[in-house]
């Protein structure tokens, strides 16, 4: 049987390993790109899986002052689509990272 000191050192090493993998996953999530769109592709928003907005593309046909509200609604819908895709990409990445840790099924780490 291991001494209490050895067990604490092993637990600390495991916690440090998990923290390192979480940090690596966060960095990776910021490099995964998703694209949300609305209006049949007339409005597109590119974002990272962390939710950082990379760009907005609006088709020229939507640049009509009298249809400003429609454009605003389409930008909102495209943003929400990108956010949903970013959340799904982040969840998939975190599940993959958690599976690699060898944790029991159903065990959830804080923040995952």
């Amino acid at each position: 049987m291991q001494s209490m000191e050895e067990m604490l050192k092993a637990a600390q090493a495991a916690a440090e390993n998990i923290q390192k993998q979480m940090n690596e996953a966060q960095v990776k999530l910021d490099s995964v790109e998703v694209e949300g769109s609305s209006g049949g592709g007339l409005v597109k928003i590119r974002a990272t899986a962390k939710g950082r907005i990379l760009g907005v593309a609006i088709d020229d046909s939507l640049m009509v002052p009298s249809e400003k509200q429609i454009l605003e609604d389409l930008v909102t819908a495209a943003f929400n689509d990108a956010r949903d895709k970013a959340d799904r990409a982040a969840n998939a990445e975190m599940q993959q990272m958690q599976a690699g840790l060898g944790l029991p099924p159903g065990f959830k780490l804080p923040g995952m």
Side-chain angles (χ1 to χ4, degrees), residues 11-74:
Q12 184 175 359
E16 289 171 359
N17 185 40
I18 290 171
Q19 183 63 42
K20 179 183 173 196
Q21 289 182 359
M22 291 281 289
N23 289 340
E24 290 171 356
Q26 290 296 319
V27 168
K28 185 174 180 182
L29 289 176
D30 202 43
S31 68
V32 174
E33 284 190 30
V34 296
E35 181 178 89
S37 65
S38 66
L42 295 174
V43 176
K44 297 177 183 175
I45 295 181
R46 288 184 313 110
T48 67
K50 277 186 83 170
R52 186 169 53 95
I53 302 303
L54 300 173
V56 176
I58 300 172
D59 189 272
D60 291 342
S61 67
L62 295 174
M63 300 300 186
V64 179
S66 64
E67 296 180 2
K68 180 179 181 270
Q69 182 64 48
I70 293 170
L71 178 57
E72 290 170 346
D73 291 344
L74 289 171

Side-chain angles (χ1 to χ4, degrees), residues 21-23 25-26 29 88-101 110-112:
Q21 289 182 359
M22 291 281 289
N23 289 340
Q26 290 296 319
L29 289 176
R88 283 188 271 142
N91 287 337
E93 186 63 35
M94 290 307 221
Q95 286 176 354
Q96 184 179 22
M97 191 271 300
Q98 188 174 352
L101 294 175
M112 294 186 84

